[in-house]
Amino acid sequence: MDAISYERAGDIAGAVRAVQQPGAVFIGGGTNLLDLMKGGVTRPVRLIDITHIRGLDTITTLPDGGIRIGALVRNSDAANHALVREQYPLLSQAFLAGASAQLRNMATVGGNLLQRTRCGYFYDTAFTQCNKRTPGSGCAALDGHNRTHAILGASAQCIAVNPSDMSVALAALDAVVRVSGPAGERTIAFADFHRLPGDRPELDTTLQPGELITAVDLPPALFSARSHYLKVRDRASYAFALVSVAAALQMDGERVKTARIALGGVAHKPWRASAAEQMLDGRPLTQATLRDAAAAALRDARPQHDNRFKVQLAQRAIVRAVNQAAGRAGGVA
Ligand SMILES: Cc1cc2nc3c(=O)[nH]c(=O)nc-3n(C[C@H](O)[C@H](O)[C@H](O)COP(=O)(O)OP(=O)(O)OC[C@H]3O[C@@H](n4cnc5c(N)ncnc54)[C@H](O)[C@@H]3O)c2cc1C
């Protein structure tokens, strides 16, 4: 049995200091970390409990009209907060599509951002090949069961996907992650927060060692009237996305003023479908244009042997989610 010490951080500076100790990690709700520890995927020797740090568990308005969601806000509280429900319904839907009520009651926003992939070869230490777990060991998923794996942005080192629903909505909404670390405070644009695997698949994000996520900022709400989070999964609940789409629109009559589309379940990071957005911006929202935009979003897809179906599934999900966002119920897919 491994000995593990537990420490409760009282403030941000104390947490940042404590996590500098060898083998120390932060623990939020523990819903991902404890699973990883039980499976022997990760072996910290010191847990720094951050859930008692004051001031990180609130949602507040910002001077520019946006909102700040503290890193310790529980997923359920964020989903059901009046500001989130009214101004960022896309984010509320994404939270509620994730996990189960019990897990959402425990899971924090900071922990959700850092939850690790659900690749079975990463979780099962009986498989010795996993570049994400043991850099340089290989990738068992490449020749194994890869139905749920990446179709965009993968590398020869890793084809795992990011499993977070929340993060897909945050990508579409251009969120900003606030962190505090040994070198002080900084902000990270959401597009730069999660990484593609490249030849360093063990790194999920651009967070530096010892940095604590303190909050997520959202810019003023532009899409509260027209947005939709669509999650396609094997079971109706309590399952990770095969493909998900966060779609948000600003319309000028029948014409799209601004489209935001992000995909989940397809890449190592939430995937912003910029090519599709560009094809929609400024154009009338016809089904032909929408299908072309969806095709453009998947043009660079490189599926694995078990997940070719994801390419068409993602295209159809984009069409459906954008139609739903535009208020065209049941959007043709
Ligand atoms: C059965 C099951 C089903 C699930 N289904 C879904 C699903 O459908 N969709 C979905 O999106 N998620 C799903 N999840 C994942 C769940 O959302 C995450 O486990 C949860 O969001 C993690 O948050 P946490 O606070 O518990 O993180 P923890 O487990 O406490 O921490 C996770 C990681 O983040 C680090 N960390 C935590 N907070 C901070 C911080 N503020 N700063 C820096 N580092 C930090 C920890 O050190 C750790 O490495 C599921 C989980 C389970 C167990």
Side-chain angles (χ1 to χ4, degrees):
M1 202 161 62
D2 298 335
I4 299 166
S5 71
Y6 170 89
E7 218 172 294
R8 204 178 256 189
D11 55 26
I12 293 173
V16 169
R17 224 178 10 254
V19 88
Q20 310 296 318
Q21 301 170 84
V25 296
F26 296 129
I27 181 165
T31 61
N32 189 217
L33 182 65
L34 293 181
D35 274 356
L36 293 165
M37 289 168 65
K38 282 188 263 181
V41 178
T42 183
R43 296 178 179 279
V45 294
R46 284 187 179 81
L47 298 183
I48 313 300
D49 183 353
I50 54 175
T51 57
H52 296 267
I53 299 176
R54 284 184 195 202
L56 299 186
D57 60 350
T58 55
I59 299 182
T60 48
T61 46
L62 294 169
D64 70 356
I67 64 169
R68 175 163 299 164
I69 306 177
L72 296 179
V73 175
R74 307 283 173 169
N75 286 190
S76 312
D77 294 334
N80 294 310
H81 195 282
L83 282 172
V84 177
R85 282 168 59 130
E86 284 157 23
Q87 296 186 29
Y88 306 91
L90 179 68
L91 180 58
S92 179
Q93 287 175 9
F95 271 122
L96 293 174
S100 64
Q102 290 90 338
L103 283 159
R104 293 194 295 269
N105 287 343
M106 284 304 291
T108 62
V109 166
N112 193 326
L113 282 173
L114 294 182
Q115 64 172 295
R116 306 219 66 192
T117 183
R118 291 282 157 173
C119 172
Y121 300 103
F122 172 73
Y123 265 79
D124 189 342
T125 53
F127 290 95
T128 51
Q129 286 191 316
C130 176
N131 287 322
K132 190 176 269 303
R133 189 167 16 87
T134 313
S137 61
C139 173
L142 281 170
D143 294 322
H145 294 290
N146 49 36
R147 178 173 175 272
T148 59
H149 288 70
I151 55 172
L152 287 162
S155 74
Q157 304 276 315
C158 182
I159 57 171
V161 297
N162 181 299
S164 168
D165 289 296
M166 174 197 77
S167 294
V168 184
L170 292 179
L173 293 170
D174 275 346
V176 171
V177 182
R178 302 184 69 85
V179 306
S180 252
E185 293 181 12
R186 66 183 182 116
T187 56
I188 309 170
F190 206 77
D192 300 328
F193 183 76
H194 293 100
R195 294 179 70 256
L196 289 178
D199 57 6
R200 296 294 306 276
E202 73 277 17
L203 300 177
D204 293 341
T205 69
T206 54
L207 215 56
Q208 296 301 307
E211 283 186 323
L212 175 77
I213 299 167
T214 54
V216 172
D217 286 355
L218 289 176
L222 300 175
F223 304 101
S224 38
R226 291 190 181 82
S227 66
H228 188 71
Y229 186 70
L230 175 66
K231 179 173 180 179
V232 184
R233 47 189 155 177
D234 284 327
R235 288 190 305 265
S237 74
Y238 208 42
F240 290 92
L242 285 169
V243 165
S244 69
V245 182
L249 297 172
Q250 276 185 304
M251 299 292 289
D252 184 4
E254 287 301 300
R255 195 174 292 276
V256 177
K257 200 166 147 208
T258 314
R260 296 274 184 82
I261 302 171
L263 307 179
V266 297
H268 197 258
K269 63 184 284 187
W271 187 266
R272 191 72 179 263
S274 312
E277 292 175 355
Q278 280 160 21
M279 287 181 69
L280 293 176
D281 286 353
R283 297 212 170 85
L285 185 59
T286 66
Q287 295 309 304
T289 309
L290 186 45
R291 276 195 297 272
D292 287 349
L298 275 298
R299 190 166 294 140
D300 296 330
R302 300 283 177 272
Q304 304 299 319
H305 52 82
D306 287 337
N307 69 6
R308 290 181 213 288
F309 74 96
K310 272 196 181 185
V311 178
Q312 196 182 42
L313 185 63
Q315 288 174 346
R316 290 182 169 211
I318 290 171
V319 170
R320 181 173 287 268
V322 174
N323 272 322
Q324 294 272 3
R328 298 175 183 176
V332 196

